[in-house]
Amino acid sequence: KQWYQRRVRGYVSLVSTHWNDTEADSEIVNNYRDACKMWADKISKFPLYQVAGQNVKMSEIYVPTSHFGEYDVPVLVHTPMNLLDQNNNAAIIYAHGGGVIAGTALESKPVLDFLAVECGVVVFNVDYRLAPETKSPNNILDFYSVVRYVSENAESLGVDKTRICITGESGGGYICLGTMVVLAQNNETKLVKLAMPSEPMVDDYSFSDPETMTKEERDDHLERRKSYQLISSNLALGKHSPLLFPGQCDDETITKFPPTILDSREFDMFVTETRRLAERLDKVGRLVEFVVVPGCVHASPYNPELDSSKVWIDVMRKCIQKYLLE
């Protein structure tokens, strides 16, 4: 725990000093990736997740893509044991967190084992390519390609193509939102029944005046600015692009979004931009639910020792049951 806290402090210190230049980008990225790995290692030790893992069969598929060179996107498939003999399972396609610059599908395995078992779904856990090695929108297009692949190959994958949900948390919520934009632009929204971006990065709010932000937003805004600099090939040219900032999409695009559940935290560093997106979705009839878990901060519900985790799990279970399985 102390090593992890030192890593996080080191990352924050580097970003605070170098957020507007590229001199320390490699060190910043490596620090953040190490911190995310340490967090994932800690989470994986919880008995709740270990027991879930014993009740899941793991497999792997590779989805061919060509939007950024020839590349096969790895996807971990979490299938609860009691669903193995069924051929019409509901599916969740998931993008892991990490600000789009860190995290892996494997690091999210413990939480997704539990989600698969608890909600009674097959989870497709997408190992999309990370920035800065892969720039926007190619990370989003990796995930989008998996969505299309699962829909087009639903029968052979044992999936009911009419019951597919896309989701992701934090940077993965951003990937999910970006995919919603692509689906809307391509008139392919019907490929998914439901979208559930969780505590997502939404738009360029972190570049606004810090004095107007909540404490959590203000404390984190330089890290978010650096994330977008690493994600974008040209931040100045892309600042109005909905494939860099999904919240920038126009009203015509947002009306084509899938039915959407937005999920945030009371003290999340993305709560304002998520709330504003919820208001836009509500106005055009695309918002199913807007959930704010009280009394907790970003990513805290993934720690099953916390009360907020029990609330979040209950929310996920009820939302999946009502809006995906029924």
Side-chain angles (χ1 to χ4, degrees), residues 307-325:
D307 290 341
S308 59
S309 178
K310 299 178 179 64
V311 175
W312 177 75
I313 291 167
D314 188 52
V315 166
M316 289 295 292
R317 187 192 305 110
K318 289 178 178 177
C319 287
I320 294 300
Q321 179 63 43
K322 182 173 182 179
Y323 299 111
L324 183 64
L325 300 184

Side-chain angles (χ1 to χ4, degrees), residues 170-213:
S170 192
Y174 166 89
I175 295 292
C176 179
L177 279 173
T179 299
M180 293 161 64
V181 171
V182 176
L183 290 170
Q185 291 175 338
N186 294 344
N187 292 313
E188 294 176 315
T189 297
K190 290 185 178 180
L191 290 180
V192 302
K193 182 178 182 180
L194 181 68
M196 293 182 63
S198 180
E199 48 185 29
M201 298 162 51
V202 177
D203 57 29
D204 59 351
Y205 181 70
S206 61
F207 291 88
S208 62
D209 183 359
E211 293 301 315
T212 67
M213 299 177 181

Side-chain angles (χ1 to χ4, degrees), residues 253-310:
T253 301
I254 208 170
T255 60
K256 298 179 182 179
F257 274 13
T260 303
I261 297 171
L262 282 175
D263 167 31
S264 190
R265 318 285 170 250
E266 182 178 2
F267 302 111
D268 197 274
M269 64 267 211
F270 303 127
V271 68
T272 298
E273 53 200 91
T274 305
R275 185 182 68 249
R276 290 176 177 175
L277 178 61
E279 291 169 354
R280 291 188 66 197
L281 286 164
D282 192 36
K283 286 180 180 178
V284 297
R286 306 314 291 165
L287 184 70
V288 176
E289 303 278 0
F290 178 38
V291 179
V292 179
V293 181
C296 64
V297 298
H298 191 77
S300 60
Y302 304 107
N303 181 346
E305 291 183 335
L306 302 178
D307 290 341
S308 59
S309 178
K310 299 178 179 64

